[in-house]
Amino acid sequence: MTTPPPGLRERKKQATREALREAALRLAVERGPDQVRVEDIAEAAGVSPRTYNNYFASREQAIVSAVTADREARIAAAVAARPTGVRLADAVTEAVVEQYTHTGEREQQALLLITTRTALRDAFLDTTAGIERPLTAVLAERLDDTGPHTARVLAASVAAAVRIALEGWLRPAGNAETAGSFGAGGLVVPSGSLPDQLRAALAPLAPAFDAAERRTQP
């Protein structure tokens, strides 16, 4: 089934959201996050503060959105795109690691800011809850709806595991002197490699994924 393209209204809303998060990140990099007001972001994006509040509840949400935008949907899409012969636990793990660690320069700037501010770290961690809904839909289709709660429980467990991994990864970064760096091995802060943290947190879920897959086999 082909998803119809978004209408004009939806495209305008998406453009506004993108303008706000781009303005938020640019101003945060230029001035420092603590020197950016909601009014500044709205003005830079060409909208009113009231319109801003229709999209984001805080400046932290807008800044974080510059690196997390649509990530949850991309994780689900990556799992759906894996061949059916690929072990589901592996498909989910690799999708999560890929979407959380393959970043461009803009995302790296945002992540470096996130590691230095408690409010930004909290907003970043809160985004992991968004993994559950799109991943539930993909898992339900992949598992052929083996039970009314199986896909949702697995997806919620993935979201929790990702949050735990990110909490461990970000915990030491309490000030600018401990900000992270980005090397060939993935995103690194004093607590180590983010890919390694994600794989370690997701590993205990593998038996549950394997059991769910076995129930779908004839």
Side-chain angles (χ1 to χ4, degrees):
M1 181 177 178
T2 302
T3 303
L8 178 60
R9 177 182 175 85
E10 188 59 35
R11 292 199 301 272
K12 287 183 175 180
K13 289 174 63 176
Q14 182 62 25
T16 299
R17 184 181 298 275
E18 290 177 0
L20 285 168
R21 64 192 181 211
E22 292 297 329
L25 177 58
R26 177 173 56 80
L27 292 174
V29 170
E30 291 175 356
R31 305 178 185 179
D34 297 337
Q35 304 304 316
V36 178
R37 303 177 305 159
V38 166
E39 292 79 5
D40 299 329
I41 299 171
E43 181 180 0
V47 301
S48 69
R50 182 177 179 180
T51 297
Y52 175 97
N53 291 330
N54 291 333
Y55 291 86
F56 299 106
S58 67
R59 66 182 178 186
E60 286 79 16
Q61 277 192 0
I63 295 169
V64 165
S65 181
V67 69
T68 62
D70 306 319
R71 174 181 285 159
E72 298 83 6
R74 295 198 305 270
I75 289 173
V79 174
R82 298 279 178 174
T84 55
V86 174
R87 183 186 180 210
L88 187 54
D90 294 337
V92 171
T93 298
E94 293 311 309
V96 168
V97 170
E98 179 181 5
Q99 294 303 324
Y100 270 91
T101 61
H102 290 187
T103 60
E105 182 178 353
R106 181 176 65 90
E107 289 81 3
Q108 290 178 10
Q109 287 180 319
L111 281 168
L112 286 173
L113 286 175
I114 287 166
T115 65
T116 66
R117 298 294 191 281
T118 299
L120 288 174
R121 294 201 301 273
D122 290 345
F124 183 63
L125 291 171
D126 287 344
T127 64
T128 58
I131 293 172
E132 182 178 340
R133 180 172 293 184
L135 186 57
T136 294
V138 169
L139 293 178
E141 183 174 354
R142 179 74 176 262
L143 296 171
D144 196 23
D145 197 22
T146 58
H149 304 301
T150 301
R152 185 176 178 185
V153 169
L154 288 172
S157 299
V158 169
V162 171
R163 184 182 179 101
I164 289 169
L166 293 176
E167 286 175 346
W169 181 65
L170 292 169
R171 186 175 296 116
N175 53 58
E177 293 180 357
T178 60
S181 62
F182 301 84
L187 308 183
V188 178
V189 292
S191 58
S193 163
L194 179 56
D196 290 346
Q197 295 266 10
L198 289 167
R199 289 192 173 95
L202 290 166
L205 303 182
F209 275 105
D210 291 344
E213 277 196 295
R214 284 196 296 270
R215 289 199 296 270
T216 69
Q217 297 173 355

